[in-house]
Amino acid sequence: FSAPQEDAHRMLFEGSAQLALMFEREQLETREQFVELKREVLVAVVAKQHPLSQFDQVSYEQILQNRQIVVASRDRTIKPELLFSRHYWRTDNHHSACSMIRQGLGWGVLPLEMLNEQPHLQDQLQVLNLLDFTPKFEYFVDLVWSRETRLGTAAHFLINHLRKQRKTRH
């Protein structure tokens, strides 16, 4: 199932999940282990009917003043990553964020792969050209698990399969 990054991380250590696909974290916990899967690019987008889409370049001040749709933990005490706007709505996954952005309810940050895999989105959304900083955010996606949890056969198979694939790519 889908969960915001912070929730997935917590679930690993509570034992309600054995594996999680997560974006790289600034600080690693000593209890976690991971295998890097791939690089993912996130881009700032807005619906083509949204007022921000009129501009060739959008300043930091403009995005601060427009509602952002942000993928975030259900725990409201956790500050979302990649939050820029003063006014924002939270959702727990990129698909519902995309739906709200497409409806013109705000701008947001989505995986570029989502736009590439669903060409109709490119007709509905515009990538914002941010004036004050690079509009592409690059992260690695990791398969993460807790060192404290005993993993099953399927989890070990998946981890070993990914490690073999990484070995053949390098």
Side-chain angles (χ1 to χ4, degrees):
F1 60 92
S2 178
Q5 177 136 329
E6 299 86 355
D7 293 352
H9 199 256
R10 187 187 71 249
M11 291 169 67
L12 284 175
F13 298 111
E14 288 176 349
S16 57
Q18 284 193 348
L19 301 170
L21 292 173
M22 299 172 56
F23 289 115
E24 63 185 289
R25 282 98 33 238
E26 280 188 29
Q27 293 184 334
L28 297 177
E29 265 202 51
T30 57
R31 301 181 294 167
E32 78 181 57
Q33 178 86 29
F34 70 95
V35 175
E36 191 177 276
L37 294 177
K38 65 176 189 161
R39 184 184 306 263
E40 180 71 75
V41 174
L42 302 172
V43 290
V45 296
V46 69
K48 291 201 173 171
Q49 75 269 19
H50 191 280
L52 284 178
S53 70
Q54 301 172 45
F55 302 99
D56 292 333
Q57 291 187 314
V58 178
S59 70
Y60 186 61
E61 289 83 8
Q62 287 174 293
I63 65 169
L64 271 178
Q65 294 166 11
N66 280 271
R67 180 185 307 119
Q68 182 178 353
I69 308 300
V70 65
V71 177
S73 172
R74 294 171 191 162
D75 179 347
R76 298 188 63 79
T77 64
I78 299 174
K79 184 182 182 287
E81 280 194 49
L82 298 179
L83 175 63
F84 300 97
S85 294
R86 290 188 183 108
H87 309 285
Y88 61 95
W89 287 354
R90 300 165 82 108
T91 182
D92 66 359
N93 66 76
H94 285 107
H95 295 287
S96 60
C98 181
S99 177
M100 288 190 274
I101 294 166
R102 282 183 18 232
Q103 293 174 46
L105 299 174
W107 70 275
V109 178
L110 295 176
L112 183 58
E113 190 172 315
M114 180 183 266
L115 303 181
N116 292 337
E117 288 176 352
Q118 302 176 57
H120 69 279
L121 291 178
Q122 295 176 22
D123 297 333
Q124 300 169 354
L125 299 176
Q126 177 177 317
V127 176
L128 292 175
N129 182 11
L130 302 176
L131 177 63
D132 300 323
F133 56 94
T134 306
K136 287 185 179 177
F137 309 98
E138 291 190 40
Y139 288 91
F140 282 100
V141 177
D142 299 332
L143 179 68
V144 184
W145 63 95
S146 169
R147 294 176 193 257
E148 298 169 350
T149 302
R150 185 167 174 205
L151 300 177
T153 305
H156 282 292
F157 174 83
L158 179 59
I159 292 164
N160 290 330
H161 175 73
L162 293 172
R163 285 177 170 159
K164 285 178 192 167
Q165 282 191 320
R166 285 189 52 78
K167 215 182 261 189
T168 60
R169 283 189 300 206
H170 295 292

